[in-house]
Amino acid sequence: MYALVHKNRVILGPIDWNRGMFSFELEKYGYKDPLPRNSPETLPIVFSNELRICEVKLEYPEYNRRTEWLNGPYWDFSSDVAVGTFTINPIEIHFIKANLKPEVAQVRYEKEISGTTITINNTELLIDTSREQRHVFQQKYLMLNEGDTVNWKFKNNWMTLSKSDLKDIMLSIESHVQSAFDWEHNKLIEIDNCTTAEQLNEVEIK
């Protein structure tokens, strides 16, 4: 990573080596000499006492991404390498909650479409609970007459199903899907009831 530094202020960067971008910025300061096409072997590239291209080193502290955020970088130009450091700051509780709720919805969706099982005629079937497949089951149930059967391919085998079997499958899917939504509902209540960042950090979303 590299940065263009002017008067101890980063003008461009940190970025990977990009001759075009650095040349464009340098022209603003009256420098038009060509830069190396590839990453320079010798750094810093000094144009004046106030202007140079430096290698960049970013020092990220460990922090809790759920409840904290990093502010920075703050630059140290005391050596040939521009060192950027960061401070750790707490996230306000209402923002933590707002960030967590989409995560809950995503996990609920994954639970919703994760599939379920049902035993029909002493055979355990793996049921696809994706929204598309649920619609397929519903349409087939509505179109099938009483006493008719249909051959159906499941993830683990084939099965000849009656209309009653299709109804049992749909009920199993409905129970599975409702369980996922109940989980989301309860998890959102748990989040809303938290009053501290420490409590929110303990909320398990899985």
Side-chain angles (χ1 to χ4, degrees):
M1 301 286 281
Y2 306 88
L4 177 62
V5 179
H6 181 250
K7 293 184 178 180
N8 284 340
R9 186 166 67 93
V10 172
I11 302 302
L12 175 63
I15 59 172
D16 293 329
W17 181 253
N18 187 312
R19 182 177 66 169
M21 292 183 66
F22 282 115
S23 296
F24 179 79
E25 289 296 324
L26 284 167
E27 287 183 4
K28 298 177 183 178
Y29 298 91
Y31 291 90
K32 297 184 178 181
D33 293 338
L35 294 171
R37 180 176 298 276
N38 298 318
S39 302
E41 296 181 359
T42 302
L43 288 168
I45 302 175
V46 178
F47 303 97
S48 70
N49 290 335
E50 297 180 339
L51 186 67
R52 63 193 187 277
I53 294 176
C54 299
E55 181 183 355
V56 169
K57 180 181 179 182
L58 296 175
E59 297 182 347
Y60 292 99
E62 292 186 5
Y63 70 106
N64 187 326
R65 293 178 181 271
R66 178 178 285 189
T67 60
E68 299 171 326
W69 63 281
L70 295 182
N71 190 29
Y74 299 96
W75 295 103
D76 180 355
F77 301 109
S78 60
S79 68
D80 289 341
V81 177
V83 179
T85 58
F86 300 82
T87 60
I88 301 173
N89 300 271
I91 300 176
E92 293 183 25
I93 290 177
H94 65 280
F95 284 127
I96 300 175
K97 292 182 178 183
N99 292 336
L100 288 179
K101 290 179 179 181
E103 291 184 33
V104 172
Q106 178 60 36
V107 174
R108 184 266 307 147
Y109 176 73
E110 293 169 1
K111 290 175 178 289
E112 176 189 343
I113 66 169
S114 63
T116 187
T117 61
I118 185 173
T119 299
I120 294 179
N121 297 329
N122 298 319
T123 301
E124 185 177 71
L125 302 175
L126 302 178
I127 306 298
D128 182 348
T129 59
S130 66
R131 294 178 178 180
E132 297 79 6
Q133 188 60 44
R134 279 142 55 185
H135 179 71
V136 172
F137 278 122
Q138 291 167 357
Q139 289 299 107
K140 180 58 66 175
Y141 175 79
L142 292 173
M143 294 174 60
L144 202 64
N145 294 320
E146 294 293 343
D148 290 346
T149 60
V150 61
N151 294 319
W152 205 280
K153 184 178 181 180
F154 295 91
K155 291 184 177 181
N156 55 334
N157 54 9
W158 284 82
M159 177 67 69
T160 300
L161 301 175
S162 66
K163 186 162 186 171
S164 177
D165 294 332
L166 284 169
K167 182 177 181 180
D168 289 342
I169 289 171
M170 288 191 300
L171 289 173
S172 177
I173 291 173
E174 173 61 25
S175 176
H176 171 83
V177 171
Q178 187 60 55
S179 176
F181 277 92
D182 289 343
W183 173 86
E184 179 181 10
H185 177 71
N186 292 332
K187 193 60 62 173
L188 293 179
I189 292 175
E190 180 182 355
I191 290 170
D192 284 334
N193 286 339
C194 291
T195 58
T196 67
E198 291 75 15
Q199 290 174 342
L200 288 166
N201 193 47
E202 295 298 319
V203 174
E204 292 188 2
I205 302 177
K206 60 182 182 179

